[in-house]
Amino acid sequence: MADAIKVLLVDDHQVVRRGLRTFLEVQDDIEVVGEAADGAEGVDRAEELRPDVILMDVKMPGMDGVGALRRLRELDNPARVLIVTSFTEQRTVVPALRAGAAGYVYKDVDPDALAGAIRSVHAGHILLQPEVADALLSQEEANSGPGRAGSLTEREREVLGLIADGRSNREIARALVLSEKTVKTHVSNILMKLDLSDRTQAALWAVRHGVTGLTRSSHGNTEGFIPS
């Protein structure tokens, strides 16, 4: 399984982790490499195992999913995080997306759709339910508009396009033959010029204003933005 997608399961309920593992282990292209029972352990395991995708619960004792996401971002861990939650409120899901999650699915998601979601976020796609995507777009448009695109340099537009494609700083650096430090500077400049607070808002801004081509699509029971 050298080419399999390496997945880490982070959930405080053992029965949930067991169910996810049982299903995912029958997928030819997915390998469960570890488990964790809370956010802090999840961060430690992510640094140790370097998974491709993390399935992360939001509500956990101690460090929750949002805290774990923020810590992973501070560490510049390249894993793509897919939130698996039983909570449908935007006030629960949106903070996780702002903290760096690549998308989310509900715990009652169809198993085949879950496998498809894992493959999709691993490929760099952003998976959002339409109502949450609309909420994020409305929030960023309250602070930013298309006229601000003119303040971006050509290099910053290239970086923004790669952010919207789901690339990490490390991947952007490789693609543009830059240092990661330089990429971080470009990302900071982009957020400042567009008056945005995080990479998720930047990606959605790019979608709305045509910096990169993304189309709305669906994966089983999950709908979202995926690169065209």
Side-chain angles (χ1 to χ4, degrees), residues 123-194:
H125 302 171
I126 299 172
L127 291 180
L128 303 180
Q129 296 287 349
E131 64 273 15
V132 173
D134 290 342
L136 287 170
L137 282 167
S138 296
Q139 290 175 18
E140 61 89 2
E141 285 188 331
N143 299 317
S144 179
R148 292 183 180 271
S151 66
L152 299 179
T153 66
E154 186 60 33
R155 178 63 84 188
E156 287 165 353
R157 291 178 67 89
E158 290 176 337
V159 171
L160 178 58
L162 291 171
I163 290 174
D165 286 340
R167 307 288 188 91
S168 67
N169 285 350
R170 183 175 294 110
E171 291 169 329
I172 293 172
R174 285 200 298 264
L176 299 180
V177 195
L178 301 171
S179 69
E180 286 188 54
K181 183 177 180 180
T182 299
V183 171
K184 288 180 180 179
T185 299
H186 284 314
V187 172
S188 295
N189 288 341
I190 290 166
L191 296 180
M192 178 184 67
K193 289 180 178 182
L194 298 181

Side-chain angles (χ1 to χ4, degrees), residues 69-81:
L69 278 157
R70 289 172 178 157
R71 182 57 182 152
L72 288 169
R73 186 161 62 177
E74 289 172 0
L75 294 169
D76 203 20
N77 189 291
R80 302 277 287 169
V81 177

Side-chain angles (χ1 to χ4, degrees), residues 14-211:
Q14 184 178 11
V15 66
V16 172
R17 300 198 307 272
R18 184 177 301 157
L20 289 170
R21 178 183 282 273
T22 297
F23 167 70
L24 294 176
E25 284 183 338
V26 304
Q27 304 298 311
D28 293 337
D29 60 340
I30 296 174
E31 177 186 7
V32 177
V33 296
E35 300 180 16
D38 59 45
E41 184 183 5
V43 171
D44 290 341
R45 296 290 278 165
E47 286 292 282
E48 172 193 355
L49 299 171
R50 311 301 285 185
D52 299 308
V53 175
I54 301 173
L55 298 188
M56 180 93 72
D57 192 11
V58 177
K59 299 292 185 180
M60 294 181 287
M63 182 183 288
D64 63 8
V66 174
L69 278 157
R70 289 172 178 157
R71 182 57 182 152
L72 288 169
R73 186 161 62 177
E74 289 172 0
L75 294 169
D76 203 20
N77 189 291
R80 302 277 287 169
V81 177
L82 180 64
I83 293 295
V84 183
T85 180
S86 57
F87 297 91
T88 60
E89 300 94 338
Q90 291 182 13
R91 61 185 175 86
T92 300
V93 175
V94 169
L97 296 169
R98 292 197 180 286
Y104 72 97
V105 293
Y106 298 127
K107 287 186 176 179
D108 61 354
V109 65
D110 178 85
D112 289 333
L114 175 60
I118 291 171
R119 296 180 185 109
S120 184
V121 298
H122 178 250
H125 302 171
I126 299 172
L127 291 180
L128 303 180
Q129 296 287 349
E131 64 273 15
V132 173
D134 290 342
L136 287 170
L137 282 167
S138 296
Q139 290 175 18
E140 61 89 2
E141 285 188 331
N143 299 317
S144 179
R148 292 183 180 271
S151 66
L152 299 179
T153 66
E154 186 60 33
R155 178 63 84 188
E156 287 165 353
R157 291 178 67 89
E158 290 176 337
V159 171
L160 178 58
L162 291 171
I163 290 174
D165 286 340
R167 307 288 188 91
S168 67
N169 285 350
R170 183 175 294 110
E171 291 169 329
I172 293 172
R174 285 200 298 264
L176 299 180
V177 195
L178 301 171
S179 69
E180 286 188 54
K181 183 177 180 180
T182 299
V183 171
K184 288 180 180 179
T185 299
H186 284 314
V187 172
S188 295
N189 288 341
I190 290 166
L191 296 180
M192 178 184 67
K193 289 180 178 182
L194 298 181
D195 195 19
L196 303 174
S197 60
D198 54 61
R199 295 170 73 98
T200 299
Q201 280 192 335
L204 290 170
W205 191 98
V207 173
R208 178 58 60 92
H209 300 300
V211 176

